[in-house]
Amino acid sequence: MTGARAGEGMPLPQGLYRPAVRHGTLIFTAGMTPRLDGVLKYVGPVTADANPLDWRDAVVLACRNALSAAQGQLAAGERLSGVLSLTVYIAAEAGFAAHSQLADFASEFLQSELGAAGIGSRAAVGVATLPGNAPVEIQLIASI
């Protein structure tokens, strides 16, 4: 990794991949789950009757990991100029319908960290399972 922030809070890969890859002025992150020091802190699935607020911390941690991975690709003096795309995968039981509310927690976090540049296009996708039984996985595409 290059950059002033490389290694600082960097998410640990759980397989044979890099947390983020830079191509020119674009950074693509791997899908990030709510892990801290490699340990999954929240497990899913999100139940059909779940209160979205109960999953806020999990979403924010996964998003923090994605942002950290992206920032780890920055060289000294560089900054992210914007989030181009945010994809939020949610392991949810059939009947759960608040995907957008969970994704809003990620958008709010990115906006708090990057201002208006933290808001880009977004997809919130419900899936049957995620790696390690994580409740959420987040992927970012950002520009420098």
Side-chain angles (χ1 to χ4, degrees), residues 30-105:
M32 296 291 166
T33 55
R35 292 180 183 271
L36 185 60
D37 297 324
V39 177
L40 190 62
K41 294 297 184 180
Y42 302 89
V43 294
V46 178
T47 59
D49 60 350
N51 179 343
L53 287 172
D54 292 342
W55 295 97
R56 183 183 190 284
D57 291 344
V59 171
V60 169
L61 179 55
C63 194
R64 183 180 309 279
N65 287 338
L67 182 59
S68 177
Q71 290 173 326
Q73 296 298 307
L74 299 175
E78 289 183 326
R79 65 177 180 77
L80 296 178
S81 63
V83 171
L84 302 176
S85 180
L86 168 66
T87 305
V88 180
Y89 299 95
I90 301 158
E93 291 181 349
F96 179 76
H99 300 78
S100 291
Q101 286 180 272
L102 290 183
D104 279 344
F105 297 138

Side-chain angles (χ1 to χ4, degrees), residues 5 14 28 33 61 65 69 95 101 103 107 116 121 126 130 132 135:
R5 302 190 72 173
Q14 300 300 304
F28 301 82
T33 55
L61 179 55
N65 287 338
Q101 286 180 272
S107 294
S121 64
L130 288 168

